[in-house]
Amino acid sequence: MLEIRKRRWKNSKLRLLKRIKKLEKRKKAIDIELSEIQPLVDEAKAAVGSIKNESLSEIRSLRAPPDVIRDILEGVLKLMGIYDTSWVSMKSFLAKRGVKEEIQQFDARRVTGEMRVNVEELLKKNGASFEKKNARRASVAAAPLADWVRANVKFSYVLEKIEPLETEQNQLKKNLQKAESRMEKLSKALAEVDKEVEQLKQRFEKFTKEAQQLKIELDKELKTIQDAETLVGKLQNEYERWNEQVGELTNELNELPKKALMAAAFITYLSAAPEDVRKDNMHRWMEHLGVKDFDLRRFLSTESEQLTWKGEGLPSDNLSMENAMVILQSSLRPFMVDPSSRATNWLKEHLKDHKLEVINQRDTNFNTALELAVRFGKTLLIQEMDQVEPILYPILRGDLMAQGPRFVVQIGEKVIDYNEEFRLFLATRNPSLEIPPDAASIVSEVNFTTTRAGLTGQLLAQTIQHEKPELEQRKTTLLKQEEDLKIELAKLEEMLLEKLANSKGNILEDHELLESLNKTKESSLTITKSLSESIKLQSSLDQERGAYLPLAESGSRLYFVISDLCKINNMYRFSLASFFRLFNRALSSEQDGGSMEMRIKSLEEKLQYLVYENVCRSLFKADRLMFALHMVYGMRPDLFAENEWEAFSGLIVSDIKGHDGKLAHDLPSWIDQDRVQAVGLLKNTFPDLYKQLNFGDSNVWSHFARNSECEKDVPLAKKISLFQQVLVIQAVRPDRLQSAMAHFACKALGMKELSPPTVNLKRLYEKETMAEEPILVVISAGADPSQELEELAGTIVGKDKYHQVAMGQGQSEIAMRLLHDCARDGEWLCLKNLHLVTAWLPDLEKEIKNLSVHQNFRLWLTAEVHPKFPTILLQSSLKITYEAPPGIKKNLLRTYDSWTPEFVQKDNNVVRSQALFALAWFHAMCQERRNFIPQGWTKFYEFSMSDLRAGADIIDRLLKGQDVAWNFMHGLFEFAIYGGRVDNPFDNSVMVSYLKQFFNSNVLGPQARNKRIGPIHLPASTHIKDFVDEIEKLPEFDKPSYFGLPENIERSAQRIISSQVISQLRILKRADVKGHKFDKDVWATELGPILSLWKKVNQGSQLIHMKVAPPGDTSGNESPITSFILLERYNAVKLVQSVHLSLAALSKVIRGSQLLTNEVSKLAEALLNQETPMTWINKWDGPEDPMQYLRSLVARSMAIQDWVSKAESRQLLSETLYLSELFHPDTFLNALRQLTARSMSCSMDNLKFACNWRGSIQGAKHPIKIGGLQLEGCSFDGQRLSENQQDSPSVAAVPPCTVAWVNKDAKEIYNSDETISLPIYYSSDRDRIVTRLDVPCGGNQSQWQLCGAALFLASQ
């Protein structure tokens, strides 16, 4: 041992000596450099020493030294480590005692690399200063110092190179000394060892013989040890893995009760919850229980089971997989809510080997099938569950009774043996089915209704399957392979343990066992390696799949965008299956050969267009703009900045009442005064945008204010976003808002126009219809596709194979029989007017679902909109809307299509034929005028074909003779036929004007002078073709003049339509919740803005805390006006306080400090539906929108305080009054009437209402001036009415008017022939009349009636 150590030390010494020699060689080279530089340094030091003090003093005495001296001294200072190189510093340095000695004794080792670099830069920059001749010329002392600087720089550079060598050499010498010292000790020890070796040799001979004997035994033991080491080495990985598994199992065992609890809670409480609720609750439970990692899917099932389910048709998304685990593991009977039927079909496939029997709840043999399944232990799946039948309750509750060794259960009136293998599954496709509480507690509701995340997963799988099917296949193969490898590895480990446990005798001597273990180990290593590679490959595949995730997410968003439409109209429901078909159509579009990103973008655009086109054909035209905007909002959130959409849709909470006066004063002249509040909202909500717009610059905005297409030429369009342009138009030009919204939607969706191609039934049949899917035609009032359908059937299957049934009482059995016959024979069936039999439709839907159909079979359904139309039938049908084409021309053509030539030509009576045409024109006027509600008609009147038939019958009866009683005809039309539907007197006057205009002897009859109706010249003929030819000459689009409406009617229409669209968008935004189902988070989110608004509008007012006594004048001496105002204030304050109490109770419920009551529940339900609660409406019939109601309530209540103070000071009637500030302005006018009657000592019936636009009213006791009136339909300057031009504002303010109650015998202020009585409505909705005013019109009252002229109170 000592010898070995000695050899090692010798080798170390030799290595050290070699390294020292190498270092010495390198050092010699550097020493040569030093020897060359050292003399220069010494010479420089000596020269420095020879510098006379006077020379230094001379330099010091200089006020500003030459550059040479400054550069040299700077080099000296920098080498000495002095960084201050100012002249003061240099003089201080030279003044130091012993400065020469300090320079001479300076050690170049003190020079750092940085110092040397600085000096080298100085030498390089100002090298001329350091040359001897230049230095000496500058000063005697400068030359030695310059030499000293140059020499020390070089010397420093060489020293830097030698320093590490010296360090290393010194260290090596120290190591060498240590090695020599140890060598010496070892030599002494070796001598002693040699002596001992001699002695040991003798002993060695002695033990040699013993060693030979031991060697034999040693070889044997070595073999044993080698086998043991091999065994231990082979089992090392297993040992480590088993140790790790033991640790994991220990942790798992510790957490097993918690995880089992979470799994049980999930199955019990979350099976009906959507995905996000499940996730939130699971996270909350994990935090509460302290569980760090919990994968429910891995806990309740294996990867192999999930792959099997997927292969059986179960969607692969997380929700479906979790639901499958609940279904198969729940202790209660599963109740599946499965709108798409995909889960039900999977369950049928999964249970097909378990004596599965499938029945419907309404099957005639339902009870028998249930009894047999219970008795013989079958698996029973009950589909189409509408409710939980009472017969099922004993089974669901588990009400088993023991009879000896067996159990029985009561089913109906029978007691049936219960087989323990019996399993029951319930399923429904109705997503809105509510399970009663007594049933909900004994079933596990499992909700398969599509969620956003779940649909994303399904669409991603669909995309991968189409675009990269190999990826999905490889993923599935890998998962299966991974599961198989894990199982095989577990089997090998079990086999290994079994062999080790069953080994007999010495395990190390069992060579057969060891060989078997080696093989097992090799297999285990191979499997482990394969598992590792599989996991890596899976990760790589998941990354590739993830590239298509944006398309799947976009598709999922799109589906839920269209799902919201049912909030607008119950008929707007779309199935997931139809959406998947559209998605597949998009995927099937041609590839452009670009990158994957380009392909995904192209697919997104294609899908968006397909969905838009297909959904639009299922919507009525009036709802398409709403859908386009909703689609933009849902799919392009990047186009909207914060609060922009909320401000646009009227959901923003902003209080601008305190600024109205200042805003009205500061409002630029080009903006209408009625836009004050809208501009104020824009200013308060978006101050930066408002500042940027600079409305005060009329040069920029004046053209915009006059432009008839201002949405296409918005100033600053390049500086503000597309949607901000819409906000601007909404604020200042609402008469173009509809066009602006359409323009924005087209730009955002990348479309040229929002109207999709017209639906062609033949093209629809050829490209999209299927025998299994009914086609539902949703019709508008007055539209009927029967004829078009009949013609299509004639060309496709023949008229003899087309059947139609108009549904009504007693037709359901006939319809069912025809349904089965046509489905079997491949014929067509049309069931019309299904909205009349909504209670029967669930039966029809179930029959359709269970039909076996011929491929040529088609089922056509027609129905008008109905709120109770079954959801399932709507979703399972291919829907299109069918509307009567708009316009007078189309209307007239439909009328003449319904009349036969014989009917028109009857009796060859020309006047009768012309009167029929006048009727057709009148009918068209009445129907098409509905497009201009509320200016055309104040509401939608159901003028229909029955009115037309009745009118034609009247004409047929009255025009048989020569003398025609036109007035009698007018009376029948006005009071019995068309007029029977009209309930507004001013609408009735419009109708009477039409009747007088069209049905008179000047237009119809042999002596008629004006044979024109509208733009059409009446043919003097009885041939239907002559009239049709005249109709064909009409333009496709109606002119306002046809109706007598003003030229700017489009402006009014745009205001109304855009307002309706925005109202619909607000409805779409509301949460799909019910008031009686309390959800704290949803209520807080949805109702928070209303509570915040109430708080804001009441800031600065004392209304909530004001104490007001009810008016109690019993003397009768108080003025009726004062009594009314005091009562108005009392009611206003009480209403404010009542609203406050109800909202406070709602707020407390949301905060959790008060229990939910029935009143609060009803209040919340109304507010969640964005409707004003009936408890508020009953006290004041205000706006239907709750936010507008609250704003208007507080504004009016505060305004009434001023009325009270003016009334008490008797100044009220001398002021200009704004009736819009009152809750009951009509009552105020009656109070004024009562006051006048008292003053004139006459009855109220002897008074009439008079007005004067020019000045005072003669003889009036209590005249008042009314302001704040607005006029629609025409213009008024205080003198007379004038027609609106195309660029006239849709609504215009009118001058204040003096009104009073005067004696009914008083002289009229205006000539009755030159005035028209116009109504004053509460609002522009024209729903309630306050009173009417006579307005000078210059005659021709009919003109102003037809133009829809009306006054209304300015909105508060």
Side-chain angles (χ1 to χ4, degrees), residues 329-354:
Q329 306 213 21
S330 174
S331 58
L332 299 176
R333 312 291 186 181
F335 192 120
M336 298 186 296
V337 180
D338 181 25
S340 66
S341 297
R342 296 180 74 183
T344 309
N345 294 336
W346 159 75
L347 193 61
K348 291 176 186 176
E349 181 67 23
H350 183 75
L351 298 173
K352 64 182 179 182
D353 298 328
H354 293 74

PDB file of all heavy atoms in Angstrom, residues 329-354:
ATOM      1  N   GLN A 329     -72.055   5.299 -12.682  1.00  0.00           N
ATOM      2  CA  GLN A 329     -71.623   5.079 -11.305  1.00  0.00           C
ATOM      3  C   GLN A 329     -72.584   5.629 -10.259  1.00  0.00           C
ATOM      4  O   GLN A 329     -72.384   5.413  -9.069  1.00  0.00           O
ATOM      5  CB  GLN A 329     -70.243   5.711 -11.088  1.00  0.00           C
ATOM      6  CG  GLN A 329     -69.211   5.253 -12.089  1.00  0.00           C
ATOM      7  CD  GLN A 329     -67.809   5.185 -11.499  1.00  0.00           C
ATOM      8  OE1 GLN A 329     -67.653   5.097 -10.301  1.00  0.00           O
ATOM      9  NE2 GLN A 329     -66.813   5.207 -12.354  1.00  0.00           N
ATOM     10  N   SER A 330     -73.602   6.357 -10.690  1.00  0.00           N
ATOM     11  CA  SER A 330     -74.524   6.937  -9.715  1.00  0.00           C
ATOM     12  C   SER A 330     -75.372   5.846  -9.064  1.00  0.00           C
ATOM     13  O   SER A 330     -75.798   4.887  -9.707  1.00  0.00           O
ATOM     14  CB  SER A 330     -75.436   7.952 -10.413  1.00  0.00           C
ATOM     15  OG  SER A 330     -76.414   8.413  -9.518  1.00  0.00           O
ATOM     16  N   SER A 331     -75.630   6.046  -7.772  1.00  0.00           N
ATOM     17  CA  SER A 331     -76.472   5.080  -7.053  1.00  0.00           C
ATOM     18  C   SER A 331     -77.954   5.319  -7.341  1.00  0.00           C
ATOM     19  O   SER A 331     -78.780   4.436  -7.164  1.00  0.00           O
ATOM     20  CB  SER A 331     -76.218   5.176  -5.549  1.00  0.00           C
ATOM     21  OG  SER A 331     -76.482   6.494  -5.087  1.00  0.00           O
ATOM     22  N   LEU A 332     -78.286   6.557  -7.790  1.00  0.00           N
ATOM     23  CA  LEU A 332     -79.653   6.872  -8.175  1.00  0.00           C
ATOM     24  C   LEU A 332     -79.841   6.597  -9.667  1.00  0.00           C
ATOM     25  O   LEU A 332     -78.878   6.425 -10.403  1.00  0.00           O
ATOM     26  CB  LEU A 332     -79.956   8.347  -7.879  1.00  0.00           C
ATOM     27  CG  LEU A 332     -79.847   8.792  -6.421  1.00  0.00           C
ATOM     28  CD1 LEU A 332     -80.090  10.294  -6.313  1.00  0.00           C
ATOM     29  CD2 LEU A 332     -80.828   8.037  -5.541  1.00  0.00           C
ATOM     30  N   ARG A 333     -81.092   6.567 -10.097  1.00  0.00           N
ATOM     31  CA  ARG A 333     -81.370   6.318 -11.517  1.00  0.00           C
ATOM     32  C   ARG A 333     -81.027   7.578 -12.319  1.00  0.00           C
ATOM     33  O   ARG A 333     -81.515   8.672 -11.992  1.00  0.00           O
ATOM     34  CB  ARG A 333     -82.848   5.995 -11.722  1.00  0.00           C
ATOM     35  CG  ARG A 333     -83.398   4.952 -10.763  1.00  0.00           C
ATOM     36  CD  ARG A 333     -82.847   3.568 -11.003  1.00  0.00           C
ATOM     37  NE  ARG A 333     -83.512   2.594 -10.142  1.00  0.00           N
ATOM     38  CZ  ARG A 333     -83.221   1.298 -10.114  1.00  0.00           C
ATOM     39  NH1 ARG A 333     -82.261   0.822 -10.894  1.00  0.00           N
ATOM     40  NH2 ARG A 333     -83.858   0.473  -9.298  1.00  0.00           N
ATOM     41  N   PRO A 334     -80.240   7.454 -13.348  1.00  0.00           N
ATOM     42  CA  PRO A 334     -79.868   8.653 -14.137  1.00  0.00           C
ATOM     43  C   PRO A 334     -81.034   9.162 -14.976  1.00  0.00           C
ATOM     44  O   PRO A 334     -81.769   8.372 -15.584  1.00  0.00           O
ATOM     45  CB  PRO A 334     -78.725   8.160 -15.037  1.00  0.00           C
ATOM     46  CG  PRO A 334     -78.336   6.826 -14.501  1.00  0.00           C
ATOM     47  CD  PRO A 334     -79.539   6.264 -13.832  1.00  0.00           C
ATOM     48  N   PHE A 335     -81.198  10.489 -14.986  1.00  0.00           N
ATOM     49  CA  PHE A 335     -82.205  11.158 -15.835  1.00  0.00           C
ATOM     50  C   PHE A 335     -81.431  12.069 -16.765  1.00  0.00           C
ATOM     51  O   PHE A 335     -80.947  13.116 -16.368  1.00  0.00           O
ATOM     52  CB  PHE A 335     -83.177  11.967 -14.967  1.00  0.00           C
ATOM     53  CG  PHE A 335     -84.394  12.438 -15.715  1.00  0.00           C
ATOM     54  CD1 PHE A 335     -85.668  12.055 -15.319  1.00  0.00           C
ATOM     55  CD2 PHE A 335     -84.280  13.277 -16.830  1.00  0.00           C
ATOM     56  CE1 PHE A 335     -86.798  12.499 -16.009  1.00  0.00           C
ATOM     57  CE2 PHE A 335     -85.391  13.721 -17.517  1.00  0.00           C
ATOM     58  CZ  PHE A 335     -86.654  13.326 -17.104  1.00  0.00           C
ATOM     59  N   MET A 336     -81.306  11.664 -18.033  1.00  0.00           N
ATOM     60  CA  MET A 336     -80.460  12.382 -18.976  1.00  0.00           C
ATOM     61  C   MET A 336     -81.239  13.452 -19.727  1.00  0.00           C
ATOM     62  O   MET A 336     -82.266  13.156 -20.346  1.00  0.00           O
ATOM     63  CB  MET A 336     -79.840  11.411 -19.982  1.00  0.00           C
ATOM     64  CG  MET A 336     -78.941  10.362 -19.368  1.00  0.00           C
ATOM     65  SD  MET A 336     -78.116   9.387 -20.635  1.00  0.00           S
ATOM     66  CE  MET A 336     -79.498   8.593 -21.415  1.00  0.00           C
ATOM     67  N   VAL A 337     -80.750  14.696 -19.661  1.00  0.00           N
ATOM     68  CA  VAL A 337     -81.282  15.779 -20.496  1.00  0.00           C
ATOM     69  C   VAL A 337     -80.349  15.877 -21.695  1.00  0.00           C
ATOM     70  O   VAL A 337     -79.233  16.380 -21.588  1.00  0.00           O
ATOM     71  CB  VAL A 337     -81.333  17.104 -19.715  1.00  0.00           C
ATOM     72  CG1 VAL A 337     -81.886  18.207 -20.601  1.00  0.00           C
ATOM     73  CG2 VAL A 337     -82.177  16.952 -18.454  1.00  0.00           C
ATOM     74  N   ASP A 338     -80.815  15.342 -22.834  1.00  0.00           N
ATOM     75  CA  ASP A 338     -79.924  15.153 -23.990  1.00  0.00           C
ATOM     76  C   ASP A 338     -80.588  15.694 -25.256  1.00  0.00           C
ATOM     77  O   ASP A 338     -81.159  14.931 -26.037  1.00  0.00           O
ATOM     78  CB  ASP A 338     -79.618  13.654 -24.126  1.00  0.00           C
ATOM     79  CG  ASP A 338     -78.687  13.345 -25.280  1.00  0.00           C
ATOM     80  OD1 ASP A 338     -77.924  14.252 -25.671  1.00  0.00           O
ATOM     81  OD2 ASP A 338     -78.728  12.210 -25.791  1.00  0.00           O
ATOM     82  N   PRO A 339     -80.516  17.028 -25.483  1.00  0.00           N
ATOM     83  CA  PRO A 339     -81.204  17.620 -26.646  1.00  0.00           C
ATOM     84  C   PRO A 339     -80.741  17.051 -27.980  1.00  0.00           C
ATOM     85  O   PRO A 339     -81.522  16.956 -28.921  1.00  0.00           O
ATOM     86  CB  PRO A 339     -80.860  19.110 -26.540  1.00  0.00           C
ATOM     87  CG  PRO A 339     -80.483  19.327 -25.112  1.00  0.00           C
ATOM     88  CD  PRO A 339     -79.854  18.050 -24.653  1.00  0.00           C
ATOM     89  N   SER A 340     -79.463  16.693 -28.090  1.00  0.00           N
ATOM     90  CA  SER A 340     -78.945  16.241 -29.389  1.00  0.00           C
ATOM     91  C   SER A 340     -79.087  14.735 -29.596  1.00  0.00           C
ATOM     92  O   SER A 340     -78.820  14.232 -30.690  1.00  0.00           O
ATOM     93  CB  SER A 340     -77.462  16.623 -29.516  1.00  0.00           C
ATOM     94  OG  SER A 340     -76.676  15.902 -28.573  1.00  0.00           O
ATOM     95  N   SER A 341     -79.461  13.974 -28.543  1.00  0.00           N
ATOM     96  CA  SER A 341     -79.625  12.506 -28.585  1.00  0.00           C
ATOM     97  C   SER A 341     -78.322  11.748 -28.774  1.00  0.00           C
ATOM     98  O   SER A 341     -78.334  10.514 -28.873  1.00  0.00           O
ATOM     99  CB  SER A 341     -80.611  12.080 -29.703  1.00  0.00           C
ATOM    100  OG  SER A 341     -81.891  12.605 -29.444  1.00  0.00           O
ATOM    101  N   ARG A 342     -77.192  12.441 -28.803  1.00  0.00           N
ATOM    102  CA  ARG A 342     -75.918  11.739 -29.011  1.00  0.00           C
ATOM    103  C   ARG A 342     -75.571  10.866 -27.814  1.00  0.00           C
ATOM    104  O   ARG A 342     -75.085   9.744 -27.960  1.00  0.00           O
ATOM    105  CB  ARG A 342     -74.795  12.752 -29.265  1.00  0.00           C
ATOM    106  CG  ARG A 342     -74.987  13.549 -30.540  1.00  0.00           C
ATOM    107  CD  ARG A 342     -73.870  14.549 -30.774  1.00  0.00           C
ATOM    108  NE  ARG A 342     -72.649  13.916 -31.201  1.00  0.00           N
ATOM    109  CZ  ARG A 342     -71.508  14.560 -31.410  1.00  0.00           C
ATOM    110  NH1 ARG A 342     -71.466  15.873 -31.234  1.00  0.00           N
ATOM    111  NH2 ARG A 342     -70.426  13.931 -31.802  1.00  0.00           N
ATOM    112  N   ALA A 343     -75.849  11.373 -26.609  1.00  0.00           N
ATOM    113  CA  ALA A 343     -75.553  10.589 -25.404  1.00  0.00           C
ATOM    114  C   ALA A 343     -76.487   9.388 -25.303  1.00  0.00           C
ATOM    115  O   ALA A 343     -76.074   8.289 -24.896  1.00  0.00           O
ATOM    116  CB  ALA A 343     -75.681  11.472 -24.165  1.00  0.00           C
ATOM    117  N   THR A 344     -77.750   9.574 -25.682  1.00  0.00           N
ATOM    118  CA  THR A 344     -78.708   8.467 -25.642  1.00  0.00           C
ATOM    119  C   THR A 344     -78.294   7.371 -26.617  1.00  0.00           C
ATOM    120  O   THR A 344     -78.341   6.177 -26.287  1.00  0.00           O
ATOM    121  CB  THR A 344     -80.118   8.985 -25.997  1.00  0.00           C
ATOM    122  OG1 THR A 344     -80.408  10.124 -25.183  1.00  0.00           O
ATOM    123  CG2 THR A 344     -81.163   7.926 -25.762  1.00  0.00           C
ATOM    124  N   ASN A 345     -77.861   7.768 -27.798  1.00  0.00           N
ATOM    125  CA  ASN A 345     -77.395   6.777 -28.782  1.00  0.00           C
ATOM    126  C   ASN A 345     -76.157   6.050 -28.277  1.00  0.00           C
ATOM    127  O   ASN A 345     -76.000   4.845 -28.500  1.00  0.00           O
ATOM    128  CB  ASN A 345     -77.099   7.467 -30.115  1.00  0.00           C
ATOM    129  CG  ASN A 345     -78.358   8.019 -30.767  1.00  0.00           C
ATOM    130  OD1 ASN A 345     -79.452   7.541 -30.504  1.00  0.00           O
ATOM    131  ND2 ASN A 345     -78.211   9.047 -31.586  1.00  0.00           N
ATOM    132  N   TRP A 346     -75.265   6.780 -27.594  1.00  0.00           N
ATOM    133  CA  TRP A 346     -74.078   6.123 -27.009  1.00  0.00           C
ATOM    134  C   TRP A 346     -74.499   5.094 -25.969  1.00  0.00           C
ATOM    135  O   TRP A 346     -73.969   3.969 -25.940  1.00  0.00           O
ATOM    136  CB  TRP A 346     -73.175   7.175 -26.357  1.00  0.00           C
ATOM    137  CG  TRP A 346     -72.254   6.549 -25.337  1.00  0.00           C
ATOM    138  CD1 TRP A 346     -71.137   5.801 -25.577  1.00  0.00           C
ATOM    139  CD2 TRP A 346     -72.408   6.570 -23.906  1.00  0.00           C
ATOM    140  NE1 TRP A 346     -70.584   5.361 -24.401  1.00  0.00           N
ATOM    141  CE2 TRP A 346     -71.345   5.810 -23.354  1.00  0.00           C
ATOM    142  CE3 TRP A 346     -73.340   7.152 -23.046  1.00  0.00           C
ATOM    143  CZ2 TRP A 346     -71.186   5.635 -21.980  1.00  0.00           C
ATOM    144  CZ3 TRP A 346     -73.193   6.981 -21.685  1.00  0.00           C
ATOM    145  CH2 TRP A 346     -72.139   6.234 -21.150  1.00  0.00           C
ATOM    146  N   LEU A 347     -75.457   5.460 -25.126  1.00  0.00           N
ATOM    147  CA  LEU A 347     -75.882   4.555 -24.063  1.00  0.00           C
ATOM    148  C   LEU A 347     -76.490   3.288 -24.651  1.00  0.00           C
ATOM    149  O   LEU A 347     -76.257   2.173 -24.137  1.00  0.00           O
ATOM    150  CB  LEU A 347     -76.889   5.265 -23.151  1.00  0.00           C
ATOM    151  CG  LEU A 347     -77.205   4.574 -21.827  1.00  0.00           C
ATOM    152  CD1 LEU A 347     -75.952   4.442 -20.973  1.00  0.00           C
ATOM    153  CD2 LEU A 347     -78.275   5.337 -21.055  1.00  0.00           C
ATOM    154  N   LYS A 348     -77.233   3.429 -25.740  1.00  0.00           N
ATOM    155  CA  LYS A 348     -77.804   2.244 -26.406  1.00  0.00           C
ATOM    156  C   LYS A 348     -76.693   1.316 -26.891  1.00  0.00           C
ATOM    157  O   LYS A 348     -76.753   0.097 -26.738  1.00  0.00           O
ATOM    158  CB  LYS A 348     -78.667   2.678 -27.590  1.00  0.00           C
ATOM    159  CG  LYS A 348     -79.948   3.398 -27.209  1.00  0.00           C
ATOM    160  CD  LYS A 348     -80.679   3.869 -28.475  1.00  0.00           C
ATOM    161  CE  LYS A 348     -81.897   4.712 -28.131  1.00  0.00           C
ATOM    162  NZ  LYS A 348     -82.553   5.257 -29.340  1.00  0.00           N
ATOM    163  N   GLU A 349     -75.657   1.931 -27.479  1.00  0.00           N
ATOM    164  CA  GLU A 349     -74.530   1.140 -27.981  1.00  0.00           C
ATOM    165  C   GLU A 349     -73.764   0.506 -26.825  1.00  0.00           C
ATOM    166  O   GLU A 349     -73.356  -0.663 -26.887  1.00  0.00           O
ATOM    167  CB  GLU A 349     -73.613   2.053 -28.806  1.00  0.00           C
ATOM    168  CG  GLU A 349     -72.400   1.363 -29.412  1.00  0.00           C
ATOM    169  CD  GLU A 349     -72.767   0.355 -30.480  1.00  0.00           C
ATOM    170  OE1 GLU A 349     -73.868   0.461 -31.074  1.00  0.00           O
ATOM    171  OE2 GLU A 349     -71.958  -0.561 -30.719  1.00  0.00           O
ATOM    172  N   HIS A 350     -73.595   1.257 -25.751  1.00  0.00           N
ATOM    173  CA  HIS A 350     -72.808   0.778 -24.601  1.00  0.00           C
ATOM    174  C   HIS A 350     -73.500  -0.373 -23.881  1.00  0.00           C
ATOM    175  O   HIS A 350     -72.841  -1.285 -23.357  1.00  0.00           O
ATOM    176  CB  HIS A 350     -72.575   1.945 -23.636  1.00  0.00           C
ATOM    177  CG  HIS A 350     -71.713   1.585 -22.457  1.00  0.00           C
ATOM    178  ND1 HIS A 350     -70.346   1.412 -22.558  1.00  0.00           N
ATOM    179  CD2 HIS A 350     -72.036   1.363 -21.149  1.00  0.00           C
ATOM    180  CE1 HIS A 350     -69.856   1.099 -21.375  1.00  0.00           C
ATOM    181  NE2 HIS A 350     -70.856   1.062 -20.494  1.00  0.00           N
ATOM    182  N   LEU A 351     -74.832  -0.333 -23.852  1.00  0.00           N
ATOM    183  CA  LEU A 351     -75.585  -1.328 -23.073  1.00  0.00           C
ATOM    184  C   LEU A 351     -76.206  -2.417 -23.938  1.00  0.00           C
ATOM    185  O   LEU A 351     -77.051  -3.172 -23.466  1.00  0.00           O
ATOM    186  CB  LEU A 351     -76.700  -0.614 -22.291  1.00  0.00           C
ATOM    187  CG  LEU A 351     -76.261   0.432 -21.267  1.00  0.00           C
ATOM    188  CD1 LEU A 351     -77.479   1.151 -20.702  1.00  0.00           C
ATOM    189  CD2 LEU A 351     -75.454  -0.191 -20.141  1.00  0.00           C
ATOM    190  N   LYS A 352     -75.785  -2.510 -25.202  1.00  0.00           N
ATOM    191  CA  LYS A 352     -76.470  -3.431 -26.128  1.00  0.00           C
ATOM    192  C   LYS A 352     -76.321  -4.899 -25.710  1.00  0.00           C
ATOM    193  O   LYS A 352     -77.134  -5.742 -26.081  1.00  0.00           O
ATOM    194  CB  LYS A 352     -75.942  -3.224 -27.549  1.00  0.00           C
ATOM    195  CG  LYS A 352     -74.475  -3.555 -27.731  1.00  0.00           C
ATOM    196  CD  LYS A 352     -74.041  -3.260 -29.166  1.00  0.00           C
ATOM    197  CE  LYS A 352     -72.545  -3.574 -29.337  1.00  0.00           C
ATOM    198  NZ  LYS A 352     -72.081  -3.245 -30.698  1.00  0.00           N
ATOM    199  N   ASP A 353     -75.274  -5.214 -24.926  1.00  0.00           N
ATOM    200  CA  ASP A 353     -75.063  -6.602 -24.488  1.00  0.00           C
ATOM    201  C   ASP A 353     -75.634  -6.847 -23.092  1.00  0.00           C
ATOM    202  O   ASP A 353     -75.298  -7.841 -22.438  1.00  0.00           O
ATOM    203  CB  ASP A 353     -73.559  -6.933 -24.487  1.00  0.00           C
ATOM    204  CG  ASP A 353     -72.960  -6.819 -25.878  1.00  0.00           C
ATOM    205  OD1 ASP A 353     -73.692  -7.094 -26.850  1.00  0.00           O
ATOM    206  OD2 ASP A 353     -71.770  -6.458 -25.988  1.00  0.00           O
ATOM    207  N   HIS A 354     -76.468  -5.932 -22.589  1.00  0.00           N
ATOM    208  CA  HIS A 354     -76.995  -6.055 -21.222  1.00  0.00           C
ATOM    209  C   HIS A 354     -78.518  -6.210 -21.231  1.00  0.00           C
ATOM    210  O   HIS A 354     -79.214  -5.633 -20.393  1.00  0.00           O
ATOM    211  CB  HIS A 354     -76.616  -4.826 -20.387  1.00  0.00           C
ATOM    212  CG  HIS A 354     -75.161  -4.698 -20.123  1.00  0.00           C
ATOM    213  ND1 HIS A 354     -74.247  -4.310 -21.098  1.00  0.00           N
ATOM    214  CD2 HIS A 354     -74.431  -4.920 -18.997  1.00  0.00           C
ATOM    215  CE1 HIS A 354     -73.043  -4.276 -20.582  1.00  0.00           C
ATOM    216  NE2 HIS A 354     -73.116  -4.647 -19.312  1.00  0.00           N
TER     217      HIS A 354
END
